Amino acid sequence: MVSTSRVIVFLTWIVLLTYFANERQIEVLIWSTIVFMVVFAALLKWGSQLSNSIRHMNARIKICEEENKRAYLDFSGLPSGMEFSEKHHDFAQDLDLIGEHSIFQLVNRAESPQGKSHLASWLIRNHPFDTTIKRQEAIKELKKFPDFCMAYQQQGKIVTLQKAWNISESQLSGNISLSKSLSHLWWLSMIWALLIVCIAVFKLPFSIIWGIIALNLPLLYLINKKLISKNDHFPSAEWARSLHARYLLFVDQPWESTELAGLQHNLKEGQHTAIAIKKLRLLSDLMDARGNMLYQLFNAVLLTDAWIVRAFQSWHKRHSMAFAKSVDILHKLEAYQSMAMYAFAHPGFSFPELTNEKILQFRKLGHPLIAETSRVNNDFGLQEGQIALITGSNMAGKSTFLRTVGINMMLAYAGAPVCAESAKVGVYQLFTSMRNADSLSESVSSFFAELARIKALLEKIKTRQNVFFLVDEVLKGTNSHDRHKGAEALIKQLSSYRSMGLLSTHDLALTSLEKQIDGLLNYSFESRVEGQELVFDYKLQDGPCQYFNATVLMQKMGIDLK
């Protein structure tokens, strides 16, 4: 309806313009033009407000739909973060931190590529202890403001729905350049404006305006072809509006945590940050307005494209370099907002106590990617120099428990709450050896791949004193004799370095090492047969496993063992 009204008003004005111009009624023409501009501008504003309300509503609906999906651990359609995966990473692939059905999908509420990059870095990188403490403090504070977090994400979601993430800080830091002759076209537009005033005042022939338009059209074609149509350095209007709205949301809050207050200070004290963001939004709105009829009318007469290009050139010269730092802060806040909303959505999770002590303690520890109705929680702890050797039957929960420990450690280091009633986590360099697969392209067997991981683990332990390891089904790819011999030697070697970590195995004979090696602790997961069914309780038990189920499983799969 609004669009139709604008078309009717515009066509009416064209008819009146032509009539009054032919009748030489310049004064009436001027007043009718003024009235048209006021009415058309009012319709534009009304239409813009209506469209903006619809965009905000759609963005909020989409966010609520995604939150509902996360509550049921349905991550279909959500960003997986696979673009941030790294081959041969120390632990990310083994722990499902990024990828399909991952922690990234559970936590992420960032909309911009840069915000997602910050979040992924927090999940798969080790950071200094002080940085982690400040981050946790900031996330705790943000958790108290879910409305702020929702509004902050909503601004980004609008850009996502409009598919308007078309610019990066590097592009904004680039240079807008035209040929020397085109760069001075804004002077010509000033001459045309003065000439139009003369036409109105001195009642010069109206046909002069048609001559101006005829001269301007090839110039506008050159500007559009050489610069604007490439869209290399011009942000979308939605992107700029979102940036401005996020800036105002954040700087208007009285933050108390050291990290958030520091980021706010950097934004406020940045080199004309507020002015730069506001100007960029206005210029982007002008670029967006190039699609309406009123703009194109003025553009044909006054070369407004030349003015916009000159304004962007001026903006780049004054603000672009410092501006990129401010934009990065606003993107980093997406990662904080993601963590805060994750914390808000899981009130039963707790923020761990982070310490420089060599200790790991969890009370009622669970896997955050398992539904609460199915999740089984366990108490678990290790101290300096202790190694947990976990035995258990197939499908009893050994691998899942190793991942549970690793995932919650990395959540703690990211500053986020962990899936536990309480936790005390020392700072370690995590390393895993779990999903070791063969590679035809690299001519590597799964056993050789596991040996390569163990070699990398030992090298890290020799150079660092705070490595925490998770090794699943140690040396599973070889015969039982060699596996036992190699696993025993590895456990003794790891213990000699006073290392901490968990190893799982089916080799019950290894549990006897508890009597020989100081700090080696036996744990297990048990199963039982009830009728024709295997039953698992997924509870961590002290001591070696007492029952294995491989025979029952093989029989259930049709293997005749008689």
Side-chain angles (χ1 to χ4, degrees):
M1 186 180 74
V2 178
S3 299
T4 304
S5 300
R6 289 205 302 261
V7 172
I8 293 172
V9 169
F10 181 78
L11 293 176
T12 302
W13 178 70
I14 290 294
V15 172
L16 293 174
L17 179 69
T18 304
Y19 174 77
F20 291 131
N22 290 333
E23 294 295 321
R24 307 289 295 169
Q25 297 182 34
I26 302 300
E27 186 175 345
V28 178
L29 186 150
I30 292 173
W31 280 108
S32 65
T33 300
I34 292 173
V35 171
F36 160 74
M37 291 177 62
V38 171
V39 173
F40 198 85
L43 288 173
L44 282 175
K45 185 175 182 181
W46 180 27
S48 177
Q49 290 175 341
L50 184 60
S51 298
N52 193 46
S53 297
I54 292 172
R55 286 193 294 266
H56 276 76
M57 179 181 66
N58 289 338
R60 185 168 284 264
I61 290 172
K62 185 66 174 177
I63 290 171
C64 291
E65 289 175 348
E66 291 176 352
E67 289 297 331
N68 188 60
K69 290 175 70 174
R70 288 191 188 93
Y72 290 96
L73 299 176
D74 175 10
F75 302 136
S76 57
L78 298 181
S80 67
M82 278 302 295
E83 62 269 32
F84 309 112
S85 64
E86 299 176 14
K87 194 174 183 180
H88 306 306
H89 190 277
D90 283 358
F91 51 81
Q93 280 79 16
D94 286 341
L95 300 182
D96 300 317
L97 293 175
I98 55 178
E100 296 298 329
H101 201 78
S102 65
I103 295 298
F104 181 88
Q105 291 181 304
L106 179 67
V107 174
N108 176 57
R109 273 82 172 170
E111 299 293 338
S112 72
Q114 297 88 352
K116 294 171 187 174
S117 177
H118 279 295
L119 179 63
S121 173
W122 293 1
L123 290 172
I124 65 174
R125 293 276 182 275
N126 289 102
H127 299 273
F129 180 76
D130 291 343
T131 300
T132 303
I133 293 294
K134 291 178 182 178
R135 190 184 297 156
Q136 186 189 85
E137 179 189 15
I139 294 168
K140 284 181 179 179
E141 182 178 16
L142 270 175
K143 180 187 175 184
K144 301 174 185 176
F145 300 96
D147 290 341
F148 166 85
C149 293
M150 172 71 84
Y152 199 86
Q153 184 184 0
Q154 186 174 336
Q155 292 299 329
K157 182 62 73 177
I158 291 171
V159 184
T160 299
L161 293 178
Q162 295 294 316
K163 299 180 180 179
W165 295 110
N166 68 331
I167 195 161
S168 67
E169 290 86 341
S170 60
Q171 288 172 297
L172 282 172
S173 299
N175 183 37
I176 295 179
S177 60
L178 285 172
S179 65
K180 191 171 182 180
S181 57
L182 289 178
S183 297
H184 295 301
L185 282 179
W186 65 277
W187 282 102
L188 185 59
S189 67
M190 292 181 65
I191 294 173
W192 294 153
L194 182 61
L195 184 55
I196 290 170
V197 172
C198 291
I199 292 173
V201 174
F202 300 108
K203 298 183 179 181
L204 298 176
F206 191 78
S207 58
I208 295 175
I209 293 180
W210 297 114
I212 292 173
I213 293 174
L215 290 171
N216 285 347
L217 287 179
L219 297 175
L220 291 171
Y221 172 77
L222 288 175
I223 293 176
N224 190 70
K225 181 180 179 181
K226 288 184 174 293
L227 183 66
I228 292 177
S229 62
K230 295 180 181 178
N231 204 29
D232 287 337
H233 301 286
F234 297 102
S236 67
E238 292 295 354
W239 185 89
R241 290 169 195 155
S242 169
L243 194 73
H244 188 223
R246 288 180 169 196
Y247 172 82
L248 294 177
L249 277 170
F250 183 64
V251 298
D252 286 345
Q253 287 281 346
W255 302 111
E256 296 179 359
S257 63
T258 303
E259 181 68 7
L260 294 181
L263 293 175
Q264 186 183 58
H265 175 79
N266 290 339
L267 277 178
K268 286 183 174 181
E269 298 300 318
Q271 187 179 6
H272 312 298
T273 301
I275 297 173
I277 293 177
K278 188 174 182 179
K279 281 185 177 179
L280 184 64
R281 175 183 175 172
L282 292 174
L283 290 171
S284 300
D285 283 340
L286 282 173
M287 283 290 294
D288 190 51
R290 296 178 77 249
N292 71 58
M293 295 174 290
L294 182 61
Y295 178 92
Q296 289 303 332
L297 182 63
F298 278 92
N299 193 29
V301 178
L302 296 174
L303 286 174
T304 46
D305 275 356
W307 280 94
I308 291 178
V309 170
R310 181 175 184 272
F312 262 116
Q313 287 176 323
S314 176
W315 185 91
H316 268 256
K317 185 176 181 180
R318 296 188 61 186
H319 301 295
S320 62
M321 298 305 294
F323 181 75
K325 296 179 181 178
S326 299
V327 175
D328 187 60
I329 290 174
L330 295 174
H331 288 324
K332 184 181 291 185
L333 285 168
E334 289 186 88
Y336 279 109
Q337 168 252 328
S338 293
M339 288 293 191
M341 288 302 288
Y342 155 75
F344 182 80
H346 298 87
F349 292 7
S350 64
F351 284 93
E353 176 189 349
L354 296 165
T355 176
N356 280 317
E357 299 176 43
K358 293 187 176 182
I359 191 171
L360 186 71
Q361 290 181 347
F362 290 106
R363 178 172 172 76
K364 295 186 177 179
L365 172 69
H367 197 304
L369 294 178
I370 296 176
E372 186 176 1
T373 54
S374 304
R375 185 188 305 141
V376 177
N377 300 323
N378 288 286
D379 295 345
F380 180 73
L382 288 177
Q383 297 181 1
E384 181 179 3
Q386 290 185 332
I387 297 173
L389 181 64
I390 301 177
T391 51
S393 54
N394 294 286
M395 304 191 306
K398 302 186 301 298
S399 301
T400 299
F401 184 71
L402 264 64
R403 290 192 178 92
T404 299
V405 173
I407 286 170
N408 282 284
M409 288 177 69
M410 292 314 300
L411 283 171
Y413 300 151
V418 298
C419 183
E421 185 178 280
S422 63
K424 185 175 183 180
V425 182
V427 180
Y428 300 97
Q429 301 290 323
L430 193 61
F431 191 91
T432 63
S433 175
M434 302 181 74
R435 290 175 175 150
N436 300 305
D438 59 352
S439 173
L440 184 62
S441 62
E442 298 178 5
S443 300
V444 172
S445 68
S446 58
F447 180 62
F448 188 85
E450 182 181 8
L451 289 178
R453 291 292 288 183
I454 290 176
K455 178 184 177 183
L457 168 62
L458 293 173
E459 288 175 349
K460 287 182 180 295
I461 289 175
K462 290 176 183 178
T463 57
R464 304 174 186 174
Q465 298 302 311
N466 61 338
V467 174
F468 192 100
F469 59 85
L470 299 170
V471 179
D472 189 31
E473 301 290 356
V474 57
L475 300 180
K476 57 182 174 291
T478 188
N479 64 78
S480 57
H481 178 268
D482 288 341
R483 179 180 64 222
H484 176 82
K485 184 177 180 181
E488 179 177 342
L490 176 62
I491 293 171
K492 290 179 178 179
Q493 191 171 356
L494 291 171
S495 178
S496 69
Y497 292 125
R498 300 290 294 166
S499 301
M500 289 178 63
L502 291 80
L503 296 98
S504 71
T505 183
H506 285 285
D507 187 353
L508 271 180
L510 291 173
T511 61
S512 63
L513 293 175
E514 184 179 36
K515 299 176 182 179
Q516 306 173 30
I517 300 174
D518 184 33
L520 183 65
L521 307 173
N522 279 316
Y523 293 97
S524 61
F525 287 95
E526 297 287 356
S527 63
R528 64 184 186 277
V529 178
E530 293 185 358
Q532 298 297 316
E533 299 297 325
L534 278 169
V535 178
F536 305 95
D537 61 14
Y538 304 113
K539 297 298 292 184
L540 184 67
Q541 309 286 340
D542 291 333
C545 176
Q546 301 300 314
Y547 177 79
F548 282 86
N549 61 19
T551 300
V552 177
L553 284 173
M554 287 186 285
Q555 288 174 337
K556 288 177 70 67
M557 293 299 110
I559 299 176
D560 188 358
L561 299 178
K562 296 179 182 179

